[in-house]
Amino acid sequence: MPTPFPGMDPYLERPGVWEDIHTPLILEIANLLEPRIQPLFRVAVERRAYQTMLWEPETPAAEPETLLAPRDAAPGGVKPRACELPLPQQVIEHFLEIRDVISGEAVTIIEVLSLDNKLTPEGRQEYERQRRAVLGGPANLVEIDLLRAGDPFPMRVEGQSVRSDYRIVVSRAPFRPHADVYLFGVRDAIPDIPIPVQRGKTEPMLPLNEILHNLYDRAGPDLVIDYRQPPDPPLSAEDAEWANPLLQRFRS
């Protein structure tokens, strides 16, 4: 069943759902771009790994005596209480590099942001480190942010009153610090995005809306999404009212 939304489906942003869409979306982008940039360039799927601290789902705490023994009261009568600590978890994220076939150098980096990139201190720090490296180097950057949660990464936008749920940045290396940003909301189709590869050459267009909707149709996330509940993060009151008619077929 097709997504009920014209562009980004906000229900895909929920933790546990976006992770299942994130990597397949990156691979679909690679598959679409590959024939459009050959024979001079190729697309490589790259990965980065880092550790973040993860809280386990809340469970009833065991009595202190069952965790470590003995647990007698300390001098002064203070008895230890049960507590939980976050556990380290390795995170592996994929991104794309468009490379020159002859030199092997990366000419364009394409990032699809993850929830860890925006919400966890370690993930945000790691992504900011890589973002700085790309913006300070010779490669172009295409940064796709389809997540309303978390703060956007730094940029100054003309007309600060412009409201957007989502944003896509196209930073062409020769023109930095200037870049293009596509700002759009949950009511909009995701715009087609030019992918800069070589200065002065035609830039292939990335039909991201079509790619995401086709992926939705094949992956069937509606089988696990409960459209009777609000999305996470919730929509604004105005957008929720706008979305209600779109969701009726899922709620009947």
Side-chain angles (χ1 to χ4, degrees):
M1 185 178 294
T3 171
F5 291 89
M8 176 60 185
D9 186 329
Y11 285 83
L12 296 178
E13 301 175 56
R14 182 181 295 275
V17 177
W18 184 244
E19 290 84 349
D20 291 338
I21 294 292
H22 184 252
T23 299
L25 178 58
I26 291 171
L27 296 177
E28 289 293 320
I29 292 172
N31 291 336
L32 185 137
L33 284 177
E34 189 75 63
R36 302 187 182 193
I37 62 173
Q38 292 177 346
L40 298 179
F41 304 94
R42 66 183 183 89
V43 182
V45 180
E46 295 295 320
R47 52 182 272 171
R48 60 174 167 264
Y50 58 91
Q51 280 198 338
T52 187
M53 302 304 289
L54 178 70
W55 290 98
E56 289 292 309
E58 289 191 15
T59 56
E63 290 298 320
E65 289 77 13
T66 66
L67 297 175
L68 289 173
R71 284 288 190 91
D72 297 329
V78 178
K79 187 177 181 180
R81 298 174 59 90
C83 72
E84 296 182 32
L85 301 177
L87 296 175
Q89 179 190 48
Q90 186 178 48
V91 176
I92 297 175
E93 294 176 340
H94 294 92
F95 60 96
L96 300 178
E97 287 187 354
I98 298 178
R99 295 179 180 171
D100 185 284
V101 168
I102 296 176
S103 69
E105 294 180 353
V107 298
T108 302
I109 310 297
I110 302 176
E111 293 275 3
V112 180
L113 298 188
S114 71
L115 287 168
D116 281 317
N117 294 153
K118 297 188 72 179
L119 295 179
T120 68
E122 299 86 359
R124 192 172 183 95
Q125 183 179 34
E126 178 65 21
Y127 180 70
E128 285 180 329
R129 181 195 64 78
Q130 181 148 332
R131 188 181 198 250
R132 286 193 300 269
V134 174
L135 293 177
N140 308 302
L141 173 66
V142 177
E143 181 180 81
I144 300 170
D145 183 0
L146 299 178
L147 298 169
R148 290 169 297 130
D151 293 328
F153 286 91
M155 69 182 78
R156 286 199 296 239
V157 182
E158 293 179 350
Q160 286 292 343
S161 61
V162 176
R163 174 187 173 274
S164 70
D165 297 312
Y166 312 111
R167 59 211 60 81
I168 301 175
V169 174
V170 179
S171 171
R172 299 169 177 86
F175 303 108
R176 290 190 182 118
H178 303 290
D180 293 334
V181 60
Y182 298 78
L183 304 173
F184 54 102
V186 71
R187 306 188 194 193
D188 304 314
I190 303 171
D192 291 354
I193 302 299
I195 303 298
V197 178
Q198 190 174 37
R199 187 174 182 179
K201 300 295 184 180
T202 301
E203 300 177 341
M205 299 300 292
L206 181 68
L208 192 55
N209 203 73
E210 177 184 338
I211 293 172
L212 184 61
H213 282 229
N214 288 342
L215 179 61
Y216 183 103
D217 291 343
R218 294 198 307 274
D222 56 300
L223 300 175
V224 297
I225 293 174
D226 186 356
Y227 283 102
R228 295 168 297 181
Q229 302 297 323
D232 182 14
L235 297 172
S236 68
E238 295 81 4
D239 284 341
E241 183 178 0
W242 166 83
N244 277 334
L246 305 180
L247 299 173
Q248 287 306 310
R249 61 189 170 97
F250 291 92
R251 294 174 173 174
S252 58

